[in-house]
Amino acid sequence: MTQIRVETNILQANDEVARQLKEKFRAKSITVINLISSPGAGKTTLLEHSIPRLIKKYRVGVIEGDVLTTRDADRIAKLNVPVVQIETKGACHLDANMVLKAANQMDLDNLDFIIIENVGNLVCPATFELAEDAKVVVLSIAEGSDKPAKYPTIFTRAKACILNKMDLLPYSNFSLDEFYQDIKRINPQMKVFEVAALRETGLDSWLEWLEGMMVNGGQKD
Amino acid sequence: MHELSLAQNLLEIVTKSAEENNLVKVTTVSVVGGELGGIVSDALQFGFEVSCAGTVAQGASLLYRELPALIRCGSCNHEFLWKTYGYSCPQCSQLGGVMFQGNEFYVEYIEGDGEEDGKNDPD
C-alpha cells in the first residue's frame, strides 16, 4: 500500500483556461463582469436598461448563457451591441471554455466591457471562474430576503449585488432589515444597489460602480 | 448539479497521479472541499463511482473532508468560524476581515498498490 500526496485543485482545468483568458482580456483592457442570479431575477432586463446608457461612453459586448433558445441574445442584439449566445444544452452553468469560444467570436480590440450573463441558477455558476473581474449577483424582491443566507456561496464571492424589482417591495414580505443584516454577516464588503430595472430607477450608482471597475483606470489604448 | 463532470475531472487527476507513481490499483481517494465550495459530496460520490468503472480506480473509496469557512480579523488577526460569526470578529467586534479558508476543492492524497505491492501481497 502506497500513499501519494496529490494536492491538486479539481477545478484546475477550468481555472487554467480562465487564467489565460483573463490575461488576454487584461492585455486588451477589457473589464469583464459575470452576472449571476436565479431564473427571472431580471438579468436581461437590467442589461436592456443599463447598456443604452453605458454605450454612450464605452464599447460593450455581451455573452449570453442559457440552457436553450437565443431569446436573450435577440433582446440584447436590439440594443446594437455585439452579442454571442451560448446554449449550454442542459448544463447548469457556464465554464471558462465556453466563454473562451464565445470571446473568440468577438472583436476584442473594440471592446471596453464584456458582460457575461450566466445561466439562471443561484448555485452552480458560483463555482466556476470565467475570467471575470467581478461576479455580480442579481436578487429580486419577489425571491425573498432569506436568499443570501440560504445560498451563501454566490453572496460571499460576489463583489456587488443588484437588489432588483424594488418597485415590488410594497407588495411582498421581503424584509430589507433581514436582508441587510444577513449581508453584513455574510459579506460586508459587497456593494448593494437597490434598483427597479424596468422602471429605470437606481441605475445611476450601479453604472458608476461599473465604470469604477474598469481595468487600468478606464484608459483604453 | 454538475458533480458528474467534476467527478470526471477528479478521476483524470487520480489516474494521472496513479500512472506517474506506478500504481496498478487505487483503493482510496481523499478529497477536501471548502464549506462554501458549492460541492454536494453525495452527488460527487455517486459521480465518482460511475466514472471509475473500468479504470485503475474502480472500487476505490472516496473520502470527502469538508473544511469550515474561516475568517481572519483584519484588526486583531483572530481566526473565527464564518458560519457562526459571519465577518464580525468575536474577539474585538471589528467587522470585515478576510476569508482564508472555505472555498477549497482539491485532491489531498490517493492510496493504492504498486506492482511490487501486488507481488508481495497476493490478496
Side-chain angles (χ1 to χ4, degrees):
Chain A
M1 172 79 78
T2 314
Q3 186 181 96
I4 294 151
R5 302 298 294 180
V6 183
E7 311 275 353
T8 301
N9 174 10
I10 296 165
L11 290 163
Q12 67 175 3
N14 182 77
D15 289 358
E16 181 56 22
V17 175
R19 193 190 59 74
Q20 288 176 18
L21 190 54
K22 193 160 184 172
E23 272 178 22
K24 194 169 175 176
F25 289 145
R26 275 283 153 83
K28 306 271 183 192
S29 299
I30 300 172
T31 304
V32 181
I33 301 294
N34 179 3
L35 208 53
I36 296 173
S37 81
S38 307
K43 293 184 298 299
T44 314
T45 304
L46 177 74
L47 292 183
E48 282 178 314
H49 294 274
S50 300
I51 286 173
R53 293 176 54 179
L54 208 54
I55 57 175
K56 286 178 184 166
K57 284 167 81 175
Y58 304 107
R59 296 164 296 178
V60 181
V62 176
I63 295 174
E64 275 291 339
D66 275 300
V67 170
L68 216 57
T69 82
T70 59
R71 288 182 192 193
D72 281 0
D74 296 343
R75 283 168 66 185
I76 298 297
K78 286 183 184 153
L79 307 172
N80 291 317
V81 293
V83 54
V84 178
Q85 174 83 47
I86 301 170
E87 276 186 278
T88 66
K89 310 279 187 195
C92 49
H93 60 275
L94 297 182
D95 63 36
N97 215 29
M98 297 177 193
V99 174
L100 172 68
K101 283 185 193 158
N104 284 340
Q105 297 174 50
M106 302 178 108
D107 177 9
L108 299 182
D109 290 320
N110 284 302
L111 286 176
D112 301 304
F113 277 104
I114 292 177
I115 302 177
I116 303 166
E117 185 181 331
N118 217 312
V119 177
N121 179 336
L122 209 49
V123 183
C124 309
T127 305
F128 294 85
E129 295 295 319
L130 302 182
E132 71 270 12
D133 293 289
K135 291 180 177 67
V136 174
V137 58
V138 182
L139 177 69
S140 66
I141 291 296
E143 292 166 64
S145 38
D146 55 356
K147 292 305 169 288
K150 288 168 108 172
Y151 299 86
T153 299
I154 182 55
F155 286 91
T156 55
R157 296 187 183 188
K159 286 189 180 155
C161 171
I162 307 283
L163 189 53
N164 194 25
K165 309 188 190 181
M166 280 298 289
D167 50 328
L168 298 184
L169 193 60
Y171 312 104
S172 78
N173 59 359
F174 191 101
S175 161
L176 280 178
D177 281 349
E178 181 190 44
F179 171 77
Y180 280 111
Q181 271 170 27
D182 282 346
I183 291 300
K184 193 175 162 189
R185 192 175 57 80
I186 293 167
N187 184 359
Q189 286 100 338
M190 186 174 69
K191 286 270 179 197
V192 178
F193 302 104
E194 296 183 4
V195 165
L198 202 56
R199 315 278 169 227
E200 301 205 338
T201 57
L203 291 174
D204 291 354
S205 40
W206 146 244
L207 291 169
E208 275 168 31
W209 179 85
L210 261 187
E211 282 191 51
M213 277 304 298
M214 287 206 70
V215 291
N216 300 340
Q219 296 300 310
K220 184 83 178 170
D221 54 356
Chain B
M1 286 299 290
H2 46 257
E3 273 74 8
L4 181 58
S5 64
L6 294 178
Q8 286 160 354
N9 290 351
L10 166 61
L11 180 64
E12 270 177 42
I13 294 167
V14 169
T15 49
K16 186 163 172 272
S17 181
E19 206 179 295
E20 284 169 4
N21 294 282
N22 302 314
L23 296 188
V24 291
K25 183 172 175 51
V26 175
T27 50
T28 305
V29 174
S30 166
V31 169
V32 175
E35 181 183 3
L36 289 167
I39 306 303
V40 183
S41 62
D42 285 351
L44 185 69
Q45 194 88 39
F46 176 72
F48 185 68
E49 276 174 36
V50 171
S51 306
C52 284
T55 76
V56 67
Q58 181 165 341
S61 52
L62 178 68
L63 308 178
Y64 185 84
R65 187 159 65 87
E66 188 174 280
L67 296 179
L70 292 174
I71 308 290
R72 183 176 296 117
C73 176
S75 181
C76 73
N77 279 328
H78 183 58
E79 293 172 359
F80 53 93
L81 288 170
W82 170 86
K83 198 170 188 176
T84 311
Y85 302 103
Y87 275 83
S88 179
C89 179
Q91 190 161 281
C92 75
S93 304
Q94 175 84 11
L95 189 66
V98 174
M99 187 179 286
F100 66 94
Q101 179 179 292
N103 287 303
E104 296 76 3
F105 187 41
Y106 64 92
V107 187
E108 188 179 28
Y109 66 83
I110 62 173
E111 278 177 357
D113 300 325
E115 283 171 20
E116 293 302 311
D117 293 328
K119 281 175 197 160
N120 296 338
D121 178 11
D123 294 339

